[in-house]
C-alpha cells in the first residue's frame, strides 16, 4: 500500500513539474551517458588504475564531453514538438543496445547492424527472453518522465535564442572537456578501435546511417558485367553427370571439431568416412551477412571489397551460366544475394513431423530436399545446403534429444542463466548433429555413384565465442575478432571414381590438407573441380591444382564447350 502511494505521489509530482526543453534535454543526456554506457566505462576503467588524479580527470572530462555532445546533436535535430518522441526513442534504444552489448560482449558496428536488419523473425524471436523484456521495461520506465513533465512554452523568437545559446554553450563545454584529454583519448580510440562502437546510442545511429547509405549507393551502382564462363566436359558417350553438394555451415568453429584435435569426440561419424579435413581454415567474416557473399565471390578476404562483392555475380551465377543446374536449399535466413535469380527453396518451414517443430526444422530437412532433386533427371548439378547449424544463442534447439550426449546442457535463450560448461555442452551437441547430418549426406551421395560423379564440400560461414574473454556469439569486427570467431571447419569428400574422372590424386590432397586455407579457396576450387574456365579463376587458390595427375579434359578423353550465354 505504501509503495503504491509513493508511486502515485511521484507521478503527481512529475505532472506538476514544468521544465524548459533544454533542461529536459540535459537530464536525458546525463541519463543516457551515465546509465546506458556501462560497457564503455568498464572498458575505460579496466585500462586505468583509477588511483591517480589524471585517471579521474580523464574519466570526468570524457563523461562531460559525451553529455555535451549528445546535448548538442539532439538539440540540433529536435525542435520542441519532436523532443519528447526523440528522447524517449533514444532512451529505449539505449537500454536495448546496452543489454545486448553486456549480455554477449558484442559491439554495434555497421556489420552488426546489417546482421540485425537481415535477421528474420524466427531468429530474432530467440533473442527475446526475460532479460530483454526486463531491460525493455526499465527503458520504458526511464522514458516515461519525458512524457509526464510539462515542457515550458516560450514565444518562438525567445525559444530560438535560448536554443541557440544552449547549443553554443554545449559546444564550448565539449571543446573545453576534450582539449585536455584529446591526445590520450585519440590514442585510446586508435588502439582500441572497438570502443567507439560501445558509445550508446551513437553506435546505433552511426552504424545504421552507414548501412543505409551503403545500401542506397549499391542500388544505384552499376553491376559489374558477367565474366565469360565455359565448362569443358567429356564428349564421350556414357559420361556420368556431376552432382556437387556445397554445405554452407552456420556458426561452427574449428576448435570444437574432433577432426581438428578437440578432446571431445564431436565427429564420430565423419571420422569413419574417407573425408579430407582441412584443420587450418579461416573465414572471410565473422557474420553470415559478410561471409556468405564473400566466400562465393572471386575476391575473398585477401581483396575484400564489400561494395564490389555485392555488385558482382557470385560463384553460383557463374556456374549457372556455364550450363550447370544450380539449386539453393535453405534452412536458415536466405542466401544474402548469393542465389538471387536462381532456383532457391526455403525448407525451414517444411511439414515433416520428425524434423520440424516450434517454427524451425533440424538440418536433415535439407537431405530430404537433396533426395527430391537427385531423384529427377540426371544432369550436371550443384546443390547448396544452407544449414541452421549452431546458430545461437538457442544451441539446444539445433539437435534432436537423442544427441544430448554432453550434459548438463544449457536449455535457455538467456546464456547468462547457464554456466559456461552448460553452454559449451549444448554447443558441442549441435556439432554432433552436424557430424551426423554430413555423414548421412555423404552416405546418401555414395548410393548415387552409378548415376553421378558425386562430391561434397563443407565449410562453416564463421565461428563462435563461447565465453572466452567474456565474449559470446559472433560478429565482432574482423580486425579484433578472436580466433574462435574466424577459424572454421572445412572438409571435402569425393567418391573414388569421381576423383579419377577429375584427375585428382586424393593421397596428394591429404598430404597438403595441413596447409592454411580459407574461404578464399572455395570459389576457385569449385571452378577447378567442375572444369569451368573463366578469367576469374586463379589456380594458386584452387586446392586441387597441385594434385591433378592430368587435366579433366584428358581424364575424360576429350572436351566439349558450353558457350557462355
Amino acid at each position: 500500500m505504501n509503495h503504491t502511494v509513493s508511486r502515485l505521489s511521484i507521478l503527481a509530482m512529475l505532472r506538476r513539474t514544468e521544465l524548459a526543453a533544454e533542461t529536459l534535454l540535459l537530464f536525458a543526456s546525463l541519463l543516457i551517458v551515465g546509465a546506458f554506457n556501462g560497457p564503455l566505462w568498464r572498458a575505460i576503467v579496466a585500462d586505468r588504475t583509477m588511483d591517480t588524479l589524471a585517471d579521474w580527470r580523464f574519466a570526468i572530462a570524457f563523461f562531460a564531453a559525451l553529455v555535451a555532445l549528445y546535448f548538442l546533436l539532439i538539440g540540433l535535430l529536435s525542435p520542441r514538438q519532436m523532443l519528447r518522441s526523440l528522447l524517449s526513442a533514444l532512451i529505449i534504444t539505449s537500454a536495448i543496445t546496452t543489454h545486448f552489448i553486456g549480455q554477449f560482449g558484442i559491439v554495434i558496428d555497421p556489420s552488426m547492424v546489417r546482421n540485425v536488419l537481415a535477421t528474420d523473425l524466427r531468429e530474432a524471436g530467440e533473442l527475446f527472453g526475460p532479460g530483454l523484456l526486463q531491460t525493455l521495461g526499465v527503458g520504458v520506465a526511464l522514458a516515461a518522465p519525458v512524457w509526464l513533465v510539462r515542457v515550458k512554452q516560450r514565444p518562438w523568437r525567445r525559444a530560438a535564442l535560448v536554443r541557440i545559446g544552449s547549443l553554443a554553450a554545449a559546444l564550448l563545454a565539449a571543446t573545453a572537456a576534450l582539449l585536455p584529454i584529446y591526445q590520450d583519448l585519440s590514442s585510446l580510440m586508435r588502439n582500441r578501435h572497438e570502443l567507439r562502437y560501445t558509445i550508446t546510442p551513437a553506435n546505433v545511429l552511426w552504424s545504421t546511417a552507414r548501412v543505409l547509405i551503403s545500401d542506397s549507393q549499391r542500388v544505384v551502382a552499376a553491376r559489374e558485367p558477367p565474366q565469360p564462363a565455359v565448362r569443358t566436359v567429356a564428349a564421350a558417350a556414357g559420361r556420368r553427370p556431376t552432382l556437387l553438394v556445397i554445405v554452407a555451415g552456420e556458426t561452427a568453429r574449428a576448435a570444437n571439431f574432433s577432426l581438428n584435435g578437440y578432446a571431445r569426440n564431436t565427429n564420430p561419424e565423419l571420422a569413419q568416412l574417407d573425408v579430407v579435413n582441412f584443420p587450418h581454415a579461416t573465414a572471410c567474416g565473422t557474420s553470415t551477412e559478410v561471409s556468405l557473399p564473400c566466400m562465393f565471390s572471386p575476391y575473398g578476404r585477401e581483396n575484400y571489397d564489400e561494395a564490389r562483392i555485392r555488385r558482382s555475380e557470385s560463384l553460383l551465377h557463374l556456374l549457372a551460366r556455364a550450363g550447370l543446374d544450380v539449386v539453393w536449399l535453405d534452412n536458415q535466413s536466405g542466401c544474402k544475394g548469393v542465389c538471387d535469380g536462381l532456383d532457391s527453396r526455403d525448407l525451414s518451414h517444411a511439414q515433416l513431423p520428425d524434423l520440424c517443430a516450434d517454427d524451425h526444422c533440424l538440418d536433415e530437412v535439407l537431405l530430404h530436399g537433396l533426395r527430391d532433386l537427385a531423384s529427377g533427371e540426371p544432369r550436371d548439378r550443384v546443390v547448396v545446403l544452407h544449414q541452421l547449424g549452431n546458430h545461437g544463442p538457442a544451441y539446444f534447439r539445433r539437435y534432436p534429444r537423442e544427441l544430448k550426449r554432453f550434459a548438463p546442457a544449457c536449455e535457455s535463450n538467456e546464456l547468462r542463466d547457464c554456466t559456461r560448461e552448460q553452454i559449451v555442452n549444448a554447443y558441442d551437441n549441435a556439432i554432433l548433429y552436424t557430424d551426423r547430418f554430413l555423414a548421412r549426406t555423404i552416405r546418401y551421395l555414395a548410393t548415387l555413384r552409378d548415376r553421378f560423379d558425386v562430391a561434397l564440400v563443407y565449410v562453416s560461414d564463421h565461428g563462435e565465442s563461447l565465453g572466452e574473454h567474456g565474449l559470446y556469439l559472433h560478429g565482432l569486427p574482423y580486425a579484433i575478432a578472436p580466433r574462435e570467431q574466424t577459424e572454421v571447419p572445412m572438409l571435402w569428400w569425393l567418391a573414388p571414381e569421381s576423383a579419377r574422372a577429375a584427375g585428382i590424386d586424393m593421397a596428394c590432397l591429404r598430404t597438403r590438407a595441413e596447409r592454411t586455407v580459407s574461404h578464399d579457396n572455395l570459389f576457385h576450387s569449385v571452378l577447378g573441380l567442375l572444369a569451368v574456365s573463366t578469367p576469374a579463376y586463379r589456380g594458386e587458390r584452387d586446392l586441387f591444382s597441385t594434385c591433378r595427375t592430368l587435366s579433366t579434359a584428358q581424364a575424360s578423353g576429350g572436351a566439349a564447350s558450353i558457350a557462355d550465354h
Side-chain angles (χ1 to χ4, degrees):
M1 181 64 177
N2 290 335
H3 291 298
T4 302
V5 172
S6 298
R7 283 194 291 267
L8 291 175
S9 300
I10 293 173
L11 290 175
M13 181 186 68
L14 287 171
R15 290 194 182 99
R16 291 193 301 269
T17 302
E18 184 179 53
L19 296 176
E22 290 70 29
T23 304
L24 183 61
L25 175 53
L26 177 59
F27 284 150
S29 299
L30 287 166
L31 174 66
I32 288 171
V33 176
F36 300 125
N37 279 275
L40 170 67
W41 301 122
R42 283 193 293 272
I44 288 175
V45 170
D47 286 343
R48 298 170 182 273
T49 60
M50 300 308 293
D51 58 1
T52 67
L53 182 60
D55 287 341
W56 281 101
R57 185 186 299 120
F58 176 86
I60 293 171
F62 190 28
F63 182 94
L66 283 181
V67 171
L69 287 172
Y70 275 129
F71 184 99
L72 177 63
L73 293 174
I74 300 171
L76 282 171
L77 297 175
S78 60
R80 187 177 58 82
Q81 295 82 357
M82 293 177 55
L83 185 61
R84 295 177 191 268
S85 299
L86 182 58
L87 290 180
S88 56
L90 289 175
I91 290 170
I92 294 172
T93 299
S94 298
I96 295 172
T97 302
T98 303
H99 168 80
F100 285 116
I101 293 176
Q103 178 88 342
F104 302 119
I106 61 173
V107 296
I108 309 299
D109 65 341
S111 176
M112 185 62 68
V113 168
R114 191 179 294 281
N115 294 337
V116 171
L117 295 177
T119 299
D120 59 26
L121 291 177
R122 179 187 59 181
E123 290 180 351
E126 293 183 349
L127 296 173
F128 279 87
L132 179 58
L133 294 177
Q134 181 180 1
T135 300
L136 183 59
V138 170
V140 171
L142 291 175
V146 172
W147 293 94
L148 293 173
V149 300
R150 291 181 293 141
V151 179
K152 185 180 294 184
Q153 301 291 323
R154 292 192 180 105
W156 72 267
R157 285 190 179 87
R158 178 169 174 75
L161 288 173
V162 171
R163 179 62 61 91
I164 292 171
S166 65
L167 294 179
L171 179 59
L172 288 174
T175 303
L178 286 173
L179 281 178
I181 65 169
Y182 177 75
Q183 185 174 353
D184 197 2
L185 180 62
S186 62
S187 176
L188 175 65
M189 291 299 174
R190 189 165 53 248
N191 294 329
R192 297 194 58 185
H193 183 78
E194 75 279 8
L195 281 184
R196 68 190 65 186
Y197 294 117
T198 64
I199 302 174
T200 304
N203 47 8
V204 177
L205 301 176
W206 168 257
S207 298
T208 302
R210 287 281 304 274
V211 169
L212 294 178
I213 292 171
S214 174
D215 287 351
S216 65
Q217 291 173 341
R218 190 193 318 163
V219 169
V220 299
R223 291 189 66 85
E224 290 190 358
Q227 300 215 20
V230 176
R231 187 173 187 224
T232 302
V233 295
R239 180 190 71 90
R240 291 187 301 271
T242 298
L243 174 58
L244 170 64
V245 174
I246 302 174
V247 182
E250 170 64 31
T251 321
R253 66 186 205 175
N256 290 55
F257 262 52
S258 56
L259 289 179
N260 296 329
Y262 187 45
R264 282 179 166 175
N265 189 12
T266 53
N267 303 128
E269 297 194 47
L270 285 173
Q272 303 301 314
L273 299 174
D274 196 21
V275 300
V276 180
N277 180 56
F278 289 80
H280 308 295
T282 57
C284 185
T286 62
S287 67
T288 306
E289 188 69 20
V290 171
S291 283
L292 271 190
C294 182
M295 66 197 283
F296 284 96
S297 83
Y299 308 113
R301 187 76 214 174
E302 180 181 343
N303 302 304
Y304 186 74
D305 183 335
E306 180 185 352
R308 189 178 187 189
I309 287 173
R310 293 183 180 277
R311 69 172 180 262
S312 62
E313 68 174 1
S314 73
L315 169 66
L316 303 184
H317 294 102
L318 192 150
L319 294 177
R321 288 194 302 102
L324 291 101
D325 184 36
V326 178
V327 183
W328 182 282
L329 301 181
D330 203 275
N331 190 34
Q332 222 223 96
S333 57
C335 67
K336 315 304 180 187
V338 170
C339 64
D340 286 356
L342 302 175
D343 187 353
S344 175
R345 309 178 190 185
D346 182 5
L347 304 183
S348 62
H349 297 89
Q351 302 299 312
L352 295 172
D354 293 341
L355 295 174
C356 303
D358 300 328
D359 198 36
H360 78 281
C361 293
L362 296 175
D363 280 329
E364 281 174 282
V365 69
L366 298 169
L367 185 51
H368 279 257
L370 177 62
R371 288 193 180 105
D372 291 341
L373 289 171
S375 64
E377 177 185 358
R379 56 182 303 179
D380 294 316
R381 178 174 284 136
V382 174
V383 182
V384 182
L385 308 181
H386 188 199
Q387 281 187 274
L388 186 55
N390 279 57
H391 196 287
Y395 307 121
F396 67 99
R397 294 182 178 172
R398 309 299 177 235
Y399 53 89
R401 301 302 295 180
E402 68 269 16
L403 285 186
K404 187 180 175 182
R405 296 180 187 171
F406 304 114
C410 179
E411 297 192 351
S412 170
N413 294 350
E414 298 278 351
L415 295 184
R416 66 180 180 180
D417 293 339
C418 302
T419 66
R420 185 168 182 271
E421 178 189 10
Q422 291 169 335
I423 294 169
V424 172
N425 285 342
Y427 185 88
D428 285 348
N429 288 334
I431 294 289
L432 268 175
Y433 182 59
T434 286
D435 174 76
R436 174 197 284 185
F437 164 67
L438 291 174
R440 289 183 175 180
T441 303
I442 290 171
R443 292 188 184 107
Y444 171 68
L445 290 175
T447 67
L448 304 177
R449 288 159 56 179
D450 60 334
R451 299 174 59 218
F452 294 95
D453 279 331
V454 289
L456 176 145
V457 56
Y458 164 78
V459 61
S460 181
D461 58 352
H462 54 78
E464 185 87 327
S465 289
L466 298 175
E468 300 87 2
H469 317 294
L471 301 175
Y472 290 90
L473 302 185
H474 54 268
L476 280 180
Y478 201 90
I480 63 169
R483 59 190 298 181
E484 290 84 7
Q485 294 189 25
T486 60
E487 295 181 354
V488 293
M490 177 190 284
L491 60 87
W492 284 80
W493 173 84
L494 282 76
E497 49 276 297
S498 303
R500 287 194 295 270
I504 295 172
D505 182 346
M506 295 301 291
C508 167
L509 187 64
R510 289 188 185 89
T511 64
R512 296 179 179 271
E514 289 295 323
R515 58 183 168 173
T516 299
V517 298
S518 72
H519 279 170
D520 293 15
N521 297 105
L522 181 66
F523 182 95
H524 307 278
S525 300
V526 170
L527 290 180
L529 180 66
L530 298 178
V532 173
S533 175
T534 175
Y537 172 77
R538 291 177 55 181
E540 69 274 16
R541 290 188 180 180
D542 180 354
L543 295 175
F544 304 107
S545 62
T546 57
C547 291
R548 287 195 175 88
T549 56
L550 62 170
S551 72
T552 304
Q554 291 171 329
S556 56
S561 294
I562 299 176
D564 175 36
H565 54 82

